[in-house]
């Protein structure tokens, strides 16, 4: 059975679930999801066993970047409800043991934010210096996040008579983090939502937020800003976390945890994700194995967040061109399935032609590699994308609750939904919660079992990873040791049966198969037969005298 971890680093044993209120459940039939609908679904979420919800932006917004363009950091978009509805939701969630983290989007504001409106119209306004202005558009930085719509990171504002920095769309002017007043605003925003009961923040675009431009933004050490924000967070609420979006090379990500582990508590592991997809595409464990070896060590209180899919394009930007091409060829050969030349706009099930074995393999990895797993809503039932929706929004379709035409998401005319549901093989008539709940073999029930097992296996979230040599080509073998316990995991990336052999030393007398609950007597060299795309998790049982050797 599982062992409860003793300390209070709750995020190390958490299972996160990302959702957008707008696309989750519509309680009033206007075609837009809302806090009322989400609150009605809390029992579903508690039932599948996730422990923390990450809400994508729900703040007032003109909606030019699906809410990542905020005009009021202290409010709820009226289409989604009111602050009162938000508080009722947080309270109901807490009653079911669910924590909430919210998106903190403070690299930029919407250009319609009152700060920017005042900044552009009055050079003497205190808000002018909330943004980054130049008389001439500098040539750098040159790398563009959205190369389909933007040609520069600087835009000329006719009212201001100057150029302003925008790392994302031109309608998202970057805030000037070197201005102490901006830093105070960020702390105040965090303080507000913490007071309303959230357990932390998913911090958008962290490297850009801290970016030091050639011309000196910010003044001083950018990382001091993050140290200060994290310290503020801890003072206000000791168990709250910062989960940061940092998609950089292996040698660059470590510093975002902070020299003393005092910056981000967690970072999404984009590196693991990209290597995972390359391994899946090539039916070879080598890319993932090599990436796991290259990942920097994580400070004691910190953690990776592992995911199969997130709400953006599935970026492959850290792969070599040939590697990226291999993933494209395997999982999205049609240019319409690709985005920005660097990513895919599909969800996993159609990428693997619905092959349940490969879907399970991917989630088994996300749940057993060192880190905390994060699900995107709908992954638990195997939802697909709708490629008719442009760009990154293809994967942000409404949650599919029932087989009805509106997927049980809304009673509004399905044709009127801003994000149309997919049709056919992956449409709501084929893929939905209601049909999967009573079916023991459904992906939903498999995922529930996986989540439960993961929560009973703290070695996975907390342990030290050791890669093992199983002698079987294409099979990744790893072990995780924590507090005297050891878990072994095997993942066969190939479609072929494989025999993997592991040496079970340090007193192992038996293995418990954690996904089937069978127990095998085992010691010495043990061979495991894995079917194509097969996977196993085992807990090592030792004779009482011999503790685990930590490697
Ligand atoms: C990253 C978010 O994940 C993405 O959806 C958004 O467009 C950009 N940051 C800008 O906020």
């Amino acid at each position: 059975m599982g062992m409860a971890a003793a300390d209070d680093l709750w995020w190390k044993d958490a299972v996160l679930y990302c959702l957008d209120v707008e696309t989750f459940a519509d309680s009033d039939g206007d075609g837009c999801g809302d806090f009322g609908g989400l609150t009605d679904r809390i029992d579903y979420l508690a039932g599948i066993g996730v422990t923390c919800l990450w809400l994508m932006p729900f703040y007032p917004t003109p909606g030019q970047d699906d809410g990542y363009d905020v005009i009021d950091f202290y409010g709820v978009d009226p289409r989604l409800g009111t602050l009162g509805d938000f508080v009722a939701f947080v309270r109901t969630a807490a009653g079911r043991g669910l924590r909430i983290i919210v998106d903190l989007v403070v690299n930029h504001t919407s250009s319609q934010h009152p700060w920017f409106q005042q900044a552009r119209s009055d050079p003497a306004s205190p808000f002018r210096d909330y943004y980054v202005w130049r008389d001439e558009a500098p040539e750098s930085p040159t790398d563009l996040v959205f190369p389909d719509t933007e040609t520069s990171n600087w835009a000329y504002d006719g009212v201001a008579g100057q150029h302003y920095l925008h790392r994302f769309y031109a309608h998202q002017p970057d805030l000037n983090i070197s201005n102490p007043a901006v830093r105070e605003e960020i702390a105040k925003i965090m303080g507000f939502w913490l007071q309303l009961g959230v357990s932390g923040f998913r911090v958008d675009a962290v490297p850009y937020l801290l970016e030091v431009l050639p011309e000196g933004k910010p003044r001083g050490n950018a990382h001091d800003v993050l140290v200060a924000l994290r310290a503020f967070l801890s003072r206000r609420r000791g168990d709250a976390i910062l989960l940061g979006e940092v998609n950089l090379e292996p040698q660059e990500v470590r510093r975002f945890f902070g020299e003393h582990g005092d910056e981000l508590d967690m970072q999404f592991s984009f590196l693991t994700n990209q290597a995972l997809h390359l391994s899946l595409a090539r039916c070879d464990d080598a890319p993932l194995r090599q990436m796991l070896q290259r990942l920097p060590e994580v400070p004691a209180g910190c953690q990776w967040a592992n995911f199969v899919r997130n709400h953006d394009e599935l970026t492959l930007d850290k792969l070599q061109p040939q590697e990226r091409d291999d993933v494209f060829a395997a999982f999205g050969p049609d240019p319409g399935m690709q985005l920005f030349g660097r990513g895919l706009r599909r969800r996993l099930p159609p990428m693997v032609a619905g092959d349940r074995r490969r879907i399970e393999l991917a989630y088994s990895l996300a749940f057993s590699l060192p880190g905390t797993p994060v699900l995107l809503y709908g992954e638990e039932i195997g939802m697909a994308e709708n490629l008719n929706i442009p760009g990154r929004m293809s994967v942000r379709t409404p949650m599919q609750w029932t087989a009805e035409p509106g997927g049980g998401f809304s009673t509004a005319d399905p044709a009127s939904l801003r994000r149309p549901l997919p049709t056919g093989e992956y449409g709501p008539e084929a893929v939905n919660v209601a049909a999967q709940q009573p079916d023991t073999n459904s992906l939903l029930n498999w995922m529930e079992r996986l989540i439960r097992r993961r929560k009973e296996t703290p070695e996975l979230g907390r342990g030290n990873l050791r890669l093992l040599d199983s002698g079987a080509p294409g099979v990744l073998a790893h072990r995780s040791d924590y507090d005297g316990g050891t878990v072994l995991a095997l993942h066969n990336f190939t479609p072929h049966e494989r025999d993997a052999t592991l040496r079970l030393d340090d007193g192992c007398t038996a293995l418990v198969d954690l996904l089937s609950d069978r127990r095998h007597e085992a010691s010495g060299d043990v061979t495991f037969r894995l079917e194509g795309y097969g996977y196993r998790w085992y807990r090592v049982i030792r004779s009482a005298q011999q503790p685990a050797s930590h490697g």
Side-chain angles (χ1 to χ4, degrees), residues 81-218:
T82 63
L83 267 182
D85 296 328
F86 176 84
V87 169
F89 154 70
V90 174
R91 171 112 189 123
T92 309
R96 306 294 197 286
L98 284 173
R99 293 175 180 268
I100 311 297
I101 65 171
V102 297
D103 233 298
L104 182 70
V105 191
V106 288
N107 170 69
H108 49 265
T109 67
S110 161
S111 56
Q112 294 178 41
H113 193 291
W115 293 344
F116 189 73
Q117 288 303 320
Q118 293 177 59
R120 69 196 292 233
S121 49
D122 178 6
S125 156
F127 296 107
R128 184 75 158 203
D129 195 36
Y130 271 37
Y131 298 89
V132 185
W133 300 97
R134 296 288 182 270
D135 289 330
E136 302 294 332
E139 279 175 13
S140 60
T142 49
D143 50 317
L144 297 170
V145 181
F146 299 131
D148 55 334
T149 50
E150 305 300 330
T151 52
S152 166
N153 290 118
W154 296 87
Y156 183 72
D157 184 70
V159 179
Q162 281 190 304
H163 296 82
Y164 61 89
L165 174 70
H166 63 88
R167 272 315 209 137
F168 295 92
Y169 296 111
H171 59 72
Q172 289 166 321
D174 271 36
L175 283 165
N176 175 13
I177 194 112
S178 72
N179 180 346
V182 168
R183 301 204 293 262
E184 273 168 37
E185 295 278 10
I186 297 174
K188 209 193 287 182
I189 295 162
M190 289 168 53
F192 178 82
W193 295 103
L194 288 169
Q195 202 71 25
L196 294 189
V198 307
S199 293
F201 302 90
R202 179 265 183 191
V203 191
D204 192 59
V206 177
Y208 294 131
L209 175 67
L210 302 188
E211 175 176 49
V212 180
L213 291 177
E215 295 172 62
K217 173 212 165 190

Side-chain angles (χ1 to χ4, degrees), residues 138-362:
E139 279 175 13
S140 60
T142 49
D143 50 317
L144 297 170
V145 181
F146 299 131
D148 55 334
T149 50
E150 305 300 330
T151 52
S152 166
N153 290 118
W154 296 87
Y156 183 72
D157 184 70
V159 179
Q162 281 190 304
H163 296 82
Y164 61 89
L165 174 70
H166 63 88
R167 272 315 209 137
F168 295 92
Y169 296 111
H171 59 72
Q172 289 166 321
D174 271 36
L175 283 165
N176 175 13
I177 194 112
S178 72
N179 180 346
V182 168
R183 301 204 293 262
E184 273 168 37
E185 295 278 10
I186 297 174
K188 209 193 287 182
I189 295 162
M190 289 168 53
F192 178 82
W193 295 103
L194 288 169
Q195 202 71 25
L196 294 189
V198 307
S199 293
F201 302 90
R202 179 265 183 191
V203 191
D204 192 59
V206 177
Y208 294 131
L209 175 67
L210 302 188
E211 175 176 49
V212 180
L213 291 177
E215 295 172 62
K217 173 212 165 190
R219 299 185 277 271
N221 179 354
H223 280 264
D224 292 348
V225 175
L226 206 47
V227 172
L229 286 175
R230 164 73 185 283
F232 169 82
L233 180 79
S234 304
R235 286 197 301 279
R236 286 293 171 93
R237 184 168 167 164
D239 63 347
I241 56 159
L242 295 178
L243 163 56
E245 183 196 25
V246 180
N247 177 19
L248 294 175
E249 298 291 344
Q251 62 279 13
E252 294 177 297
V253 287
R254 169 64 182 81
R255 67 195 167 106
F256 288 86
F257 286 126
E259 202 183 327
H260 308 290
D262 51 359
E263 296 184 29
L264 297 174
D265 302 277
M266 292 210 279
Q267 292 181 46
F268 293 103
S269 190
F270 287 92
L271 295 164
T272 306
N273 180 270
Q274 300 191 31
L276 168 65
H277 282 93
L278 182 58
S279 273
L280 290 170
R282 289 186 174 169
C283 299
D284 180 6
D285 66 307
L288 182 58
R289 172 188 294 271
Q290 286 156 11
M291 183 51 76
L292 292 169
Q293 285 163 339
R294 290 177 65 202
L295 285 183
E297 208 167 308
V298 174
C302 299
Q303 178 86 315
W304 295 116
N306 290 320
F307 60 100
V308 172
R309 194 62 176 89
N310 73 3
H311 62 291
D312 283 321
E313 82 273 16
L314 192 171
T315 184
L316 304 166
D317 65 342
K318 299 292 176 286
L319 300 181
Q320 297 304 311
Q322 183 57 53
E323 298 174 333
R324 193 160 38 241
D325 286 349
D326 286 355
V327 181
F328 282 159
F331 295 146
D334 180 334
M337 299 167 169
Q338 303 166 8
L339 202 59
F340 311 140
R342 62 168 190 236
L344 286 166
R345 41 191 226 100
R346 312 185 76 188
R347 284 185 181 237
L348 181 68
M351 284 171 25
V352 294
D355 188 335
R356 176 74 180 264
R357 299 170 305 166
R358 299 181 87 182
I359 296 171
E360 291 187 14
L361 181 73

Side-chain angles (χ1 to χ4, degrees), residues 378-441:
E379 284 190 289
E380 72 275 26
I381 53 170
M383 269 169 52
E385 70 287 344
N386 182 352
L387 289 172
N388 294 327
I389 305 173
R392 294 172 296 146
M393 302 303 135
S394 57
V395 299
R396 302 190 197 176
T397 55
M399 179 67 182
Q400 295 173 195
W401 297 102
T402 69
E404 292 156 282
F409 159 72
S410 174
T411 53
D413 175 4
S416 74
L417 298 182
R418 197 158 75 86
R419 302 262 173 72
L421 287 146
T423 53
E425 232 189 314
Y426 292 98
E429 19 356 290
V431 175
N432 68 71
V433 171
Q436 292 192 27
Q437 270 178 332
D439 174 1
T440 327
N441 295 319

